[in-house]
Amino acid sequence: LSRGSYLIDVEYLIKNKGVETARVHHYEQFKRTKESSYNGLIYTFTGAIFSTPESRFKKFDFGDLEDSPINQIALNSWIGNMQHYFVAALIPPTNSPARYYSKILDPMTYIVGYVTNKPVSVGPGESISLTGKIYAGPKKQDVLKEIAPGLDLSVDYGMLWFLAKPLFITLRSIYSITDNWGFAIVLLTILIKLIFYPLSAAGYKSMAKLRKVHPKMIALKERFSDDKAQLNQAMMKLYKDEKINPLGGCFPILIQIPVFIALYWVLLETVEIRQ
């Protein structure tokens, strides 16, 4: 264990005191109790995770492990568990092929782990050392990406990750100046609103024009109350004459919605502002 680090270095020292050659495999595994991914109404994934160079970071809930257990030989990979703010990962030695597996022990418990694919021979009177790493700690992106490829993806921003990551980087940069997460969140929100101000202003102008011609619209509805086709034609002509886009008030809002959903996931997933 190293002070200030959640990464654990594991070493197995194997001494063969017998008279025959021993063949040993390096294996490690986690046992975990089944838990729901819902905390009240909030969904944050809880379950197994597995990452290989070919399939970077996959999630498996308890049902997935029941239906299709993990059973794959891979190189430079890792396996573990994650929950809302924390992740635990078993990381074998680099360039050591291993079989990664999962197993359901009972209706509430499962295991994930790995065992090296090729055994190591230890001759009589010989000693060998097998090493690996275990990470068990908070999902801090800068730390995780240095430990194993794809481990930082355990910070799960969902489908809008491509918006959420720049927002998190910006939030962290503001925090480095303010040294206060509350101020950083407020300033980031103001910054987003300033960026979208031209769109918002255009939307407000469009809605103002719609309010201005509202009496004319009511008059047209009364005039063509029995003829929908004529009403639609008259309304389109009114929009054209007044240079109004009927969707002009909604479109700017629709563009901003994904950004603020992404911001919500940043605030939900960022362990630095936990509690």
Side-chain angles (χ1 to χ4, degrees), residues 76-173:
N76 297 332
S77 305
W78 54 265
I79 196 167
N81 293 304
M82 65 175 268
Q83 60 191 65
H84 188 179
Y85 289 118
F86 302 97
V87 61
L90 300 169
I91 308 160
T94 306
N95 299 321
S96 179
R99 182 176 69 83
Y100 296 85
Y101 61 87
S102 68
K103 183 179 180 181
I104 302 294
L105 295 183
D106 57 56
M108 290 300 295
T109 313
Y110 68 89
I111 278 176
V112 293
Y114 73 85
V115 55
T116 51
N117 197 34
K118 295 180 179 180
V120 178
S121 297
V122 189
E126 293 181 351
S127 298
I128 65 164
S129 173
L130 300 177
T131 60
K133 294 181 183 295
I134 298 174
Y135 181 86
K139 296 192 289 189
K140 292 189 174 183
Q141 295 180 55
D142 289 348
V143 174
L144 296 178
K145 68 181 180 181
E146 298 297 329
I147 293 172
L151 190 54
D152 58 316
L153 297 178
S154 59
V155 181
D156 188 7
Y157 292 138
M159 292 188 296
L160 296 174
W161 60 268
F162 55 92
L163 294 174
K165 282 210 167 186
L167 288 174
F168 171 73
I169 292 170
T170 307
L171 179 66
R172 188 177 55 191
S173 299

Side-chain angles (χ1 to χ4, degrees), residues 191-213:
L191 179 61
I192 293 171
K193 294 298 287 184
L194 288 174
I195 291 172
F196 282 114
Y197 177 76
L199 272 177
S200 300
Y204 297 146
K205 288 178 182 177
S206 181
M207 287 188 286
K209 287 182 179 179
L210 283 171
R211 283 197 298 269
K212 185 177 179 181
V213 300

